[in-house]
Short mmCIF file of all heavy atoms in Angstrom, two decimals:
data_model
loop_
_atom_site.label_atom_id
_atom_site.label_comp_id
_atom_site.label_asym_id
_atom_site.label_seq_id
_atom_site.Cartn_x
_atom_site.Cartn_y
_atom_site.Cartn_z
N MET A 1 26.62 82.14 -85.27
CA MET A 1 27.91 82.09 -85.91
C MET A 1 28.95 82.67 -84.97
O MET A 1 28.69 83.63 -84.29
CB MET A 1 27.86 82.89 -87.21
CG MET A 1 29.04 82.77 -88.10
SD MET A 1 30.50 83.79 -87.84
CE MET A 1 29.91 85.42 -87.85
N ALA A 2 30.10 82.04 -84.95
CA ALA A 2 31.16 82.56 -84.08
C ALA A 2 32.53 82.23 -84.65
O ALA A 2 32.73 81.17 -85.23
CB ALA A 2 31.02 81.96 -82.69
N VAL A 3 33.43 83.17 -84.51
CA VAL A 3 34.83 82.97 -84.86
C VAL A 3 35.60 82.99 -83.56
O VAL A 3 35.64 84.00 -82.86
CB VAL A 3 35.33 84.09 -85.80
CG1 VAL A 3 36.80 83.89 -86.12
CG2 VAL A 3 34.51 84.14 -87.09
N TYR A 4 36.15 81.84 -83.19
CA TYR A 4 36.91 81.72 -81.96
C TYR A 4 38.40 81.84 -82.25
O TYR A 4 38.91 81.20 -83.16
CB TYR A 4 36.64 80.36 -81.30
CG TYR A 4 35.20 80.17 -80.92
CD1 TYR A 4 34.36 79.38 -81.69
CD2 TYR A 4 34.68 80.78 -79.78
CE1 TYR A 4 33.03 79.20 -81.35
CE2 TYR A 4 33.35 80.60 -79.42
CZ TYR A 4 32.53 79.81 -80.22
OH TYR A 4 31.22 79.64 -79.86
N ILE A 5 39.09 82.66 -81.47
CA ILE A 5 40.53 82.86 -81.63
C ILE A 5 41.19 82.68 -80.27
O ILE A 5 40.82 83.35 -79.31
CB ILE A 5 40.83 84.27 -82.18
CG1 ILE A 5 40.15 84.48 -83.52
CG2 ILE A 5 42.34 84.48 -82.29
CD1 ILE A 5 40.19 85.91 -84.02
N ASP A 6 42.14 81.77 -80.21
CA ASP A 6 42.90 81.59 -78.98
C ASP A 6 44.01 82.64 -78.99
O ASP A 6 45.10 82.43 -79.54
CB ASP A 6 43.49 80.18 -78.91
CG ASP A 6 44.13 79.89 -77.56
OD1 ASP A 6 44.43 80.85 -76.82
OD2 ASP A 6 44.32 78.70 -77.26
N THR A 7 43.71 83.79 -78.42
CA THR A 7 44.63 84.92 -78.49
C THR A 7 45.95 84.66 -77.77
O THR A 7 46.98 85.24 -78.12
CB THR A 7 43.97 86.20 -77.91
OG1 THR A 7 43.57 85.96 -76.56
CG2 THR A 7 42.77 86.60 -78.75
N ALA A 8 45.94 83.76 -76.81
CA ALA A 8 47.17 83.43 -76.08
C ALA A 8 48.18 82.71 -76.97
O ALA A 8 49.39 82.81 -76.76
CB ALA A 8 46.86 82.58 -74.86
N LEU A 9 47.69 82.00 -77.99
CA LEU A 9 48.57 81.24 -78.87
C LEU A 9 48.89 81.95 -80.19
O LEU A 9 49.78 81.52 -80.91
CB LEU A 9 47.96 79.87 -79.17
CG LEU A 9 47.79 78.95 -77.98
CD1 LEU A 9 47.11 77.65 -78.42
CD2 LEU A 9 49.12 78.66 -77.31
N CYS A 10 48.16 82.99 -80.51
CA CYS A 10 48.35 83.70 -81.78
C CYS A 10 49.74 84.33 -81.81
O CYS A 10 50.15 85.02 -80.88
CB CYS A 10 47.29 84.78 -81.96
SG CYS A 10 47.44 85.70 -83.51
N LYS A 11 50.47 84.10 -82.92
CA LYS A 11 51.81 84.68 -83.04
C LYS A 11 51.87 85.76 -84.13
O LYS A 11 52.94 86.09 -84.62
CB LYS A 11 52.85 83.60 -83.30
CG LYS A 11 52.66 82.83 -84.58
CD LYS A 11 53.72 81.76 -84.72
CE LYS A 11 53.54 81.02 -86.02
NZ LYS A 11 54.40 79.86 -86.12
N SER A 12 50.72 86.26 -84.51
CA SER A 12 50.64 87.40 -85.41
C SER A 12 51.29 87.15 -86.77
O SER A 12 51.93 88.04 -87.32
CB SER A 12 51.24 88.64 -84.74
OG SER A 12 50.97 89.79 -85.49
N CYS A 13 51.12 85.95 -87.30
CA CYS A 13 51.71 85.64 -88.61
C CYS A 13 50.94 86.30 -89.75
O CYS A 13 51.46 86.43 -90.85
CB CYS A 13 51.80 84.14 -88.82
SG CYS A 13 50.21 83.31 -89.02
N LYS A 14 49.70 86.67 -89.49
CA LYS A 14 48.82 87.38 -90.43
C LYS A 14 48.37 86.53 -91.62
O LYS A 14 47.84 87.06 -92.58
CB LYS A 14 49.47 88.67 -90.92
CG LYS A 14 49.82 89.61 -89.79
CD LYS A 14 50.53 90.84 -90.29
CE LYS A 14 51.01 91.64 -89.10
NZ LYS A 14 52.20 92.37 -89.37
N LEU A 15 48.56 85.23 -91.57
CA LEU A 15 48.12 84.38 -92.66
C LEU A 15 46.60 84.38 -92.79
O LEU A 15 46.07 84.38 -93.90
CB LEU A 15 48.63 82.94 -92.47
CG LEU A 15 50.14 82.77 -92.65
CD1 LEU A 15 50.55 81.35 -92.28
CD2 LEU A 15 50.56 83.10 -94.06
N CYS A 16 45.90 84.42 -91.67
CA CYS A 16 44.43 84.46 -91.71
C CYS A 16 43.95 85.74 -92.39
O CYS A 16 42.98 85.72 -93.15
CB CYS A 16 43.84 84.34 -90.31
SG CYS A 16 44.45 85.57 -89.14
N ILE A 17 44.64 86.82 -92.13
CA ILE A 17 44.29 88.10 -92.77
C ILE A 17 44.46 88.01 -94.27
O ILE A 17 43.61 88.47 -95.04
CB ILE A 17 45.15 89.25 -92.19
CG1 ILE A 17 44.79 89.48 -90.72
CG2 ILE A 17 44.96 90.53 -93.00
CD1 ILE A 17 45.70 90.45 -90.00
N SER A 18 45.53 87.38 -94.70
CA SER A 18 45.82 87.32 -96.13
C SER A 18 44.89 86.38 -96.91
O SER A 18 44.66 86.59 -98.09
CB SER A 18 47.27 86.92 -96.38
OG SER A 18 47.52 85.59 -95.98
N VAL A 19 44.34 85.34 -96.26
CA VAL A 19 43.49 84.39 -96.98
C VAL A 19 42.00 84.67 -96.86
O VAL A 19 41.21 84.12 -97.63
CB VAL A 19 43.75 82.93 -96.56
CG1 VAL A 19 45.18 82.53 -96.84
CG2 VAL A 19 43.38 82.69 -95.11
N CYS A 20 41.59 85.51 -95.94
CA CYS A 20 40.16 85.75 -95.73
C CYS A 20 39.58 86.59 -96.87
O CYS A 20 39.97 87.75 -97.06
CB CYS A 20 39.93 86.47 -94.40
SG CYS A 20 38.18 86.77 -94.07
N PRO A 21 38.62 86.03 -97.62
CA PRO A 21 38.04 86.77 -98.74
C PRO A 21 37.13 87.93 -98.31
O PRO A 21 36.84 88.81 -99.10
CB PRO A 21 37.23 85.71 -99.49
CG PRO A 21 36.88 84.69 -98.46
CD PRO A 21 38.05 84.68 -97.50
N LYS A 22 36.73 87.94 -97.06
CA LYS A 22 35.83 88.97 -96.56
C LYS A 22 36.50 89.96 -95.61
O LYS A 22 35.83 90.79 -94.99
CB LYS A 22 34.62 88.33 -95.85
CG LYS A 22 33.71 87.58 -96.80
CD LYS A 22 33.20 88.52 -97.87
CE LYS A 22 31.92 88.09 -98.46
NZ LYS A 22 31.36 89.09 -99.35
N HIS A 23 37.80 89.85 -95.44
CA HIS A 23 38.57 90.78 -94.60
C HIS A 23 38.03 90.86 -93.17
O HIS A 23 37.86 91.94 -92.63
CB HIS A 23 38.63 92.15 -95.25
CG HIS A 23 39.04 92.11 -96.68
ND1 HIS A 23 40.32 91.83 -97.07
CD2 HIS A 23 38.32 92.26 -97.82
CE1 HIS A 23 40.38 91.84 -98.40
NE2 HIS A 23 39.19 92.09 -98.86
N VAL A 24 37.76 89.70 -92.60
CA VAL A 24 37.19 89.60 -91.26
C VAL A 24 38.20 89.96 -90.17
O VAL A 24 37.85 90.56 -89.17
CB VAL A 24 36.61 88.18 -91.02
CG1 VAL A 24 36.23 87.98 -89.56
CG2 VAL A 24 35.42 87.93 -91.93
N PHE A 25 39.47 89.65 -90.39
CA PHE A 25 40.47 89.75 -89.34
C PHE A 25 41.31 91.02 -89.39
O PHE A 25 41.56 91.57 -90.45
CB PHE A 25 41.42 88.55 -89.40
CG PHE A 25 40.71 87.24 -89.25
CD1 PHE A 25 40.38 86.48 -90.35
CD2 PHE A 25 40.35 86.78 -88.00
CE1 PHE A 25 39.71 85.28 -90.22
CE2 PHE A 25 39.68 85.59 -87.85
CZ PHE A 25 39.35 84.83 -88.96
N GLU A 26 41.75 91.44 -88.20
CA GLU A 26 42.66 92.57 -88.05
C GLU A 26 43.61 92.27 -86.89
O GLU A 26 43.26 91.57 -85.96
CB GLU A 26 41.91 93.86 -87.71
CG GLU A 26 41.16 94.47 -88.85
CD GLU A 26 40.51 95.79 -88.48
OE1 GLU A 26 40.66 96.24 -87.32
OE2 GLU A 26 39.84 96.36 -89.34
N ILE A 27 44.80 92.85 -86.96
CA ILE A 27 45.75 92.77 -85.85
C ILE A 27 45.33 93.81 -84.82
O ILE A 27 45.03 94.95 -85.17
CB ILE A 27 47.18 93.05 -86.33
CG1 ILE A 27 47.67 91.96 -87.27
CG2 ILE A 27 48.14 93.18 -85.15
CD1 ILE A 27 47.89 90.62 -86.63
N THR A 28 45.33 93.41 -83.56
CA THR A 28 44.98 94.35 -82.49
C THR A 28 46.21 95.09 -81.99
O THR A 28 47.34 94.75 -82.34
CB THR A 28 44.35 93.61 -81.29
OG1 THR A 28 45.34 92.80 -80.67
CG2 THR A 28 43.15 92.78 -81.70
N THR A 29 45.98 96.04 -81.13
CA THR A 29 47.08 96.73 -80.47
C THR A 29 47.41 96.05 -79.15
O THR A 29 48.38 96.42 -78.49
CB THR A 29 46.74 98.21 -80.21
OG1 THR A 29 45.53 98.28 -79.44
CG2 THR A 29 46.54 98.96 -81.52
N HIS A 30 46.62 95.04 -78.78
CA HIS A 30 46.83 94.29 -77.55
C HIS A 30 47.94 93.26 -77.75
O HIS A 30 48.10 92.71 -78.83
CB HIS A 30 45.55 93.59 -77.11
CG HIS A 30 44.39 94.51 -77.00
ND1 HIS A 30 44.27 95.43 -75.98
CD2 HIS A 30 43.31 94.68 -77.79
CE1 HIS A 30 43.15 96.12 -76.16
NE2 HIS A 30 42.54 95.68 -77.24
N VAL A 31 48.67 92.97 -76.69
CA VAL A 31 49.79 92.03 -76.75
C VAL A 31 49.50 90.84 -75.83
O VAL A 31 49.08 91.02 -74.70
CB VAL A 31 51.10 92.73 -76.32
CG1 VAL A 31 52.26 91.76 -76.33
CG2 VAL A 31 51.38 93.93 -77.22
N ASN A 32 49.74 89.62 -76.36
CA ASN A 32 49.55 88.44 -75.53
C ASN A 32 50.81 88.15 -74.71
O ASN A 32 51.80 88.88 -74.81
CB ASN A 32 49.12 87.23 -76.38
CG ASN A 32 50.15 86.81 -77.40
OD1 ASN A 32 51.33 87.14 -77.32
ND2 ASN A 32 49.71 86.05 -78.40
N ALA A 33 50.80 87.09 -73.92
CA ALA A 33 51.92 86.77 -73.03
C ALA A 33 53.21 86.46 -73.78
O ALA A 33 54.30 86.60 -73.24
CB ALA A 33 51.55 85.59 -72.13
N LYS A 34 53.07 86.05 -75.05
CA LYS A 34 54.25 85.75 -75.87
C LYS A 34 54.85 87.00 -76.50
O LYS A 34 55.89 86.94 -77.14
CB LYS A 34 53.89 84.75 -76.97
CG LYS A 34 53.51 83.39 -76.45
CD LYS A 34 53.22 82.46 -77.60
CE LYS A 34 52.94 81.06 -77.09
NZ LYS A 34 52.83 80.10 -78.19
N GLY A 35 54.16 88.13 -76.34
CA GLY A 35 54.66 89.38 -76.87
C GLY A 35 54.18 89.74 -78.27
O GLY A 35 54.73 90.63 -78.91
N TYR A 36 53.15 89.04 -78.75
CA TYR A 36 52.61 89.28 -80.08
C TYR A 36 51.31 90.09 -80.03
O TYR A 36 50.49 89.87 -79.15
CB TYR A 36 52.32 87.97 -80.80
CG TYR A 36 53.54 87.14 -81.07
CD1 TYR A 36 53.79 85.96 -80.36
CD2 TYR A 36 54.46 87.51 -82.06
CE1 TYR A 36 54.90 85.19 -80.62
CE2 TYR A 36 55.58 86.74 -82.32
CZ TYR A 36 55.79 85.59 -81.59
OH TYR A 36 56.90 84.82 -81.85
N ASN A 37 51.14 90.95 -80.99
CA ASN A 37 49.85 91.61 -81.19
C ASN A 37 48.95 90.60 -81.88
O ASN A 37 49.18 90.26 -83.04
CB ASN A 37 49.99 92.85 -82.07
CG ASN A 37 50.80 93.92 -81.41
OD1 ASN A 37 52.02 93.91 -81.51
ND2 ASN A 37 50.15 94.83 -80.75
N TYR A 38 47.98 90.09 -81.18
CA TYR A 38 47.15 89.01 -81.71
C TYR A 38 46.06 89.51 -82.65
O TYR A 38 45.78 90.70 -82.74
CB TYR A 38 46.57 88.15 -80.59
CG TYR A 38 45.83 88.92 -79.52
CD1 TYR A 38 44.50 89.27 -79.70
CD2 TYR A 38 46.45 89.27 -78.34
CE1 TYR A 38 43.82 89.95 -78.72
CE2 TYR A 38 45.78 89.96 -77.35
CZ TYR A 38 44.46 90.29 -77.55
OH TYR A 38 43.78 90.99 -76.57
N VAL A 39 45.45 88.57 -83.34
CA VAL A 39 44.40 88.84 -84.33
C VAL A 39 43.04 88.84 -83.64
O VAL A 39 42.82 88.12 -82.67
CB VAL A 39 44.43 87.75 -85.43
CG1 VAL A 39 43.24 87.84 -86.34
CG2 VAL A 39 45.71 87.86 -86.22
N GLU A 40 42.13 89.64 -84.18
CA GLU A 40 40.74 89.60 -83.73
C GLU A 40 39.83 89.54 -84.95
O GLU A 40 40.22 89.94 -86.05
CB GLU A 40 40.39 90.82 -82.88
CG GLU A 40 40.30 92.11 -83.67
CD GLU A 40 39.85 93.29 -82.81
OE1 GLU A 40 39.51 93.09 -81.63
OE2 GLU A 40 39.85 94.40 -83.33
N ALA A 41 38.62 89.05 -84.75
CA ALA A 41 37.62 89.01 -85.81
C ALA A 41 36.86 90.34 -85.76
O ALA A 41 35.80 90.45 -85.17
CB ALA A 41 36.68 87.83 -85.62
N ALA A 42 37.41 91.35 -86.39
CA ALA A 42 36.86 92.70 -86.34
C ALA A 42 35.53 92.82 -87.07
O ALA A 42 34.70 93.65 -86.71
CB ALA A 42 37.87 93.69 -86.92
N ARG A 43 35.35 91.98 -88.09
CA ARG A 43 34.11 92.00 -88.87
C ARG A 43 33.51 90.58 -88.91
O ARG A 43 33.29 90.01 -89.97
CB ARG A 43 34.39 92.54 -90.27
CG ARG A 43 34.67 94.04 -90.28
CD ARG A 43 35.21 94.54 -91.60
NE ARG A 43 36.56 94.08 -91.86
CZ ARG A 43 37.67 94.56 -91.30
NH1 ARG A 43 37.59 95.53 -90.41
NH2 ARG A 43 38.86 94.08 -91.60
N GLU A 44 33.27 90.04 -87.74
CA GLU A 44 32.78 88.67 -87.60
C GLU A 44 31.48 88.42 -88.38
O GLU A 44 31.28 87.35 -88.94
CB GLU A 44 32.58 88.35 -86.12
CG GLU A 44 32.24 86.93 -85.83
CD GLU A 44 32.18 86.64 -84.34
OE1 GLU A 44 32.34 87.57 -83.52
OE2 GLU A 44 31.96 85.47 -84.01
N ALA A 45 30.62 89.40 -88.44
CA ALA A 45 29.34 89.25 -89.14
C ALA A 45 29.52 89.05 -90.65
O ALA A 45 28.62 88.53 -91.31
CB ALA A 45 28.46 90.47 -88.88
N ASP A 46 30.67 89.42 -91.18
CA ASP A 46 30.94 89.26 -92.61
C ASP A 46 31.46 87.88 -92.98
O ASP A 46 31.59 87.55 -94.15
CB ASP A 46 31.97 90.31 -93.08
CG ASP A 46 31.43 91.72 -93.01
OD1 ASP A 46 30.19 91.89 -92.93
OD2 ASP A 46 32.24 92.66 -93.04
N CYS A 47 31.75 87.04 -92.00
CA CYS A 47 32.31 85.71 -92.23
C CYS A 47 31.35 84.85 -93.06
O CYS A 47 30.15 84.82 -92.80
CB CYS A 47 32.58 85.02 -90.88
SG CYS A 47 33.27 83.37 -91.03
N ILE A 48 31.90 84.15 -94.06
CA ILE A 48 31.09 83.29 -94.94
C ILE A 48 31.37 81.80 -94.69
O ILE A 48 30.98 80.95 -95.48
CB ILE A 48 31.29 83.63 -96.43
CG1 ILE A 48 32.76 83.50 -96.82
CG2 ILE A 48 30.75 85.03 -96.73
CD1 ILE A 48 33.03 83.61 -98.31
N PHE A 49 32.09 81.49 -93.62
CA PHE A 49 32.36 80.11 -93.20
C PHE A 49 33.14 79.30 -94.24
O PHE A 49 32.93 78.12 -94.39
CB PHE A 49 31.06 79.37 -92.86
CG PHE A 49 30.11 80.17 -92.04
CD1 PHE A 49 28.97 80.71 -92.62
CD2 PHE A 49 30.36 80.41 -90.71
CE1 PHE A 49 28.10 81.47 -91.86
CE2 PHE A 49 29.49 81.17 -89.96
CZ PHE A 49 28.35 81.69 -90.54
N CYS A 50 34.05 79.95 -94.95
CA CYS A 50 34.83 79.24 -95.97
C CYS A 50 35.89 78.34 -95.35
O CYS A 50 36.36 77.40 -95.98
CB CYS A 50 35.46 80.21 -96.95
SG CYS A 50 36.75 81.27 -96.26
N GLY A 51 36.31 78.64 -94.12
CA GLY A 51 37.28 77.82 -93.42
C GLY A 51 38.74 78.06 -93.80
O GLY A 51 39.62 77.37 -93.31
N GLN A 52 38.98 79.03 -94.65
CA GLN A 52 40.36 79.31 -95.07
C GLN A 52 41.25 79.68 -93.89
O GLN A 52 42.40 79.26 -93.82
CB GLN A 52 40.39 80.42 -96.13
CG GLN A 52 39.78 80.03 -97.45
CD GLN A 52 40.55 78.91 -98.12
OE1 GLN A 52 41.78 78.94 -98.19
NE2 GLN A 52 39.84 77.92 -98.60
N CYS A 53 40.73 80.45 -92.97
CA CYS A 53 41.52 80.86 -91.81
C CYS A 53 41.91 79.66 -90.96
O CYS A 53 43.07 79.54 -90.54
CB CYS A 53 40.77 81.90 -90.99
SG CYS A 53 39.13 81.38 -90.44
N GLU A 54 40.96 78.76 -90.72
CA GLU A 54 41.23 77.55 -89.93
C GLU A 54 42.29 76.68 -90.59
O GLU A 54 43.19 76.18 -89.92
CB GLU A 54 39.96 76.72 -89.77
CG GLU A 54 39.03 77.20 -88.72
CD GLU A 54 37.85 76.25 -88.55
OE1 GLU A 54 37.02 76.16 -89.47
OE2 GLU A 54 37.79 75.61 -87.49
N MET A 55 42.16 76.48 -91.88
CA MET A 55 43.09 75.62 -92.61
C MET A 55 44.48 76.22 -92.75
O MET A 55 45.47 75.50 -92.84
CB MET A 55 42.53 75.28 -93.99
CG MET A 55 41.30 74.40 -93.94
SD MET A 55 40.72 73.89 -95.56
CE MET A 55 39.98 75.39 -96.15
N THR A 56 44.57 77.54 -92.75
CA THR A 56 45.84 78.22 -92.99
C THR A 56 46.62 78.46 -91.70
O THR A 56 47.85 78.48 -91.72
CB THR A 56 45.59 79.56 -93.70
OG1 THR A 56 44.87 79.31 -94.91
CG2 THR A 56 46.88 80.25 -94.05
N CYS A 57 45.95 78.62 -90.60
CA CYS A 57 46.62 78.95 -89.33
C CYS A 57 47.58 77.83 -88.93
O CYS A 57 47.15 76.70 -88.68
CB CYS A 57 45.60 79.18 -88.22
SG CYS A 57 46.37 79.62 -86.65
N PRO A 58 48.88 78.13 -88.84
CA PRO A 58 49.86 77.09 -88.50
C PRO A 58 49.78 76.62 -87.05
O PRO A 58 50.30 75.55 -86.71
CB PRO A 58 51.20 77.75 -88.79
CG PRO A 58 50.95 79.21 -88.65
CD PRO A 58 49.52 79.42 -89.07
N ASP A 59 49.13 77.38 -86.20
CA ASP A 59 49.06 77.04 -84.78
C ASP A 59 47.67 76.64 -84.32
O ASP A 59 47.44 76.53 -83.11
CB ASP A 59 49.57 78.22 -83.95
CG ASP A 59 51.02 78.52 -84.26
OD1 ASP A 59 51.83 77.58 -84.25
OD2 ASP A 59 51.35 79.69 -84.55
N PHE A 60 46.74 76.43 -85.26
CA PHE A 60 45.38 76.01 -84.93
C PHE A 60 44.71 76.94 -83.92
O PHE A 60 44.06 76.49 -82.97
CB PHE A 60 45.36 74.56 -84.44
CG PHE A 60 46.04 73.62 -85.38
CD1 PHE A 60 47.31 73.14 -85.09
CD2 PHE A 60 45.44 73.23 -86.55
CE1 PHE A 60 47.97 72.28 -85.95
CE2 PHE A 60 46.09 72.36 -87.43
CZ PHE A 60 47.35 71.89 -87.12
N VAL A 61 44.88 78.21 -84.11
CA VAL A 61 44.39 79.24 -83.20
C VAL A 61 42.94 79.61 -83.49
O VAL A 61 42.22 80.05 -82.62
CB VAL A 61 45.30 80.49 -83.30
CG1 VAL A 61 44.72 81.67 -82.59
CG2 VAL A 61 46.68 80.16 -82.75
N ILE A 62 42.48 79.41 -84.74
CA ILE A 62 41.17 79.88 -85.17
C ILE A 62 40.21 78.72 -85.38
O ILE A 62 40.57 77.69 -85.96
CB ILE A 62 41.28 80.69 -86.47
CG1 ILE A 62 42.22 81.88 -86.26
CG2 ILE A 62 39.91 81.16 -86.94
CD1 ILE A 62 42.56 82.62 -87.53
N HIS A 63 38.99 78.91 -84.91
CA HIS A 63 37.91 77.94 -85.13
C HIS A 63 36.65 78.72 -85.51
O HIS A 63 36.26 79.64 -84.80
CB HIS A 63 37.66 77.11 -83.88
CG HIS A 63 36.50 76.19 -84.01
ND1 HIS A 63 36.50 75.10 -84.86
CD2 HIS A 63 35.29 76.21 -83.42
CE1 HIS A 63 35.33 74.49 -84.78
NE2 HIS A 63 34.58 75.15 -83.90
N VAL A 64 36.07 78.35 -86.65
CA VAL A 64 34.85 79.02 -87.12
C VAL A 64 33.70 78.04 -86.95
O VAL A 64 33.79 76.88 -87.37
CB VAL A 64 34.97 79.43 -88.60
CG1 VAL A 64 33.69 80.09 -89.07
CG2 VAL A 64 36.15 80.36 -88.80
N GLU A 65 32.63 78.50 -86.32
CA GLU A 65 31.49 77.65 -86.05
C GLU A 65 30.21 78.31 -86.54
O GLU A 65 29.90 79.43 -86.14
CB GLU A 65 31.42 77.41 -84.54
CG GLU A 65 30.55 76.26 -84.14
CD GLU A 65 30.73 75.95 -82.66
OE1 GLU A 65 31.75 75.37 -82.29
OE2 GLU A 65 29.83 76.33 -81.90
N LYS A 66 29.52 77.62 -87.41
CA LYS A 66 28.26 78.13 -87.94
C LYS A 66 27.11 77.65 -87.05
O LYS A 66 27.11 76.51 -86.61
CB LYS A 66 28.07 77.63 -89.37
CG LYS A 66 26.91 78.25 -90.09
CD LYS A 66 26.89 77.82 -91.54
CE LYS A 66 25.77 78.51 -92.26
NZ LYS A 66 25.74 78.15 -93.69
N ASP A 67 26.15 78.53 -86.83
CA ASP A 67 24.98 78.14 -86.04
C ASP A 67 24.23 77.02 -86.72
O ASP A 67 24.19 76.94 -87.94
CB ASP A 67 24.04 79.34 -85.86
CG ASP A 67 24.62 80.40 -84.94
OD1 ASP A 67 25.52 80.08 -84.16
OD2 ASP A 67 24.17 81.56 -85.03
N ALA A 68 23.62 76.19 -85.94
CA ALA A 68 22.85 75.05 -86.47
C ALA A 68 21.55 75.50 -87.08
O ALA A 68 21.04 76.51 -86.90
CB ALA A 68 22.60 74.04 -85.37
#
């Protein structure tokens, strides 16, 4: 299982944080080239593959992939 985040494109809108039922995401203290504190999957192991983060992200920054 993996949660992929394109940190270079993340604009810190926090929509993924608000829709995740398992509270997987957190804003980091790191800043990307655009000047935003990007999101990370702080609790990736808690992900239930609901896809809410992928569907909600306006910039298609997040991709969740379940192991085969």
Side-chain angles (χ1 to χ4, degrees):
M1 189 276 304
V3 178
Y4 298 102
I5 301 170
D6 188 341
T7 58
L9 297 177
C10 180
K11 62 182 181 189
S12 190
C13 69
K14 302 176 188 150
L15 291 174
C16 55
I17 293 172
S18 68
V19 299
C20 181
K22 293 302 205 172
H23 311 288
V24 170
F25 301 99
E26 286 184 0
I27 294 291
T28 68
T29 57
H30 306 288
V31 178
N32 63 18
K34 294 182 176 187
Y36 296 108
N37 294 86
Y38 53 84
V39 171
E40 72 176 354
R43 288 169 290 284
E44 187 175 4
D46 293 342
C47 180
I48 59 171
F49 316 106
C50 68
Q52 292 296 314
C53 56
E54 280 184 292
M55 292 185 286
T56 304
C57 182
D59 298 311
F60 307 103
V61 169
I62 302 171
H63 175 68
V64 179
E65 197 170 284
K66 189 174 183 178
D67 290 339

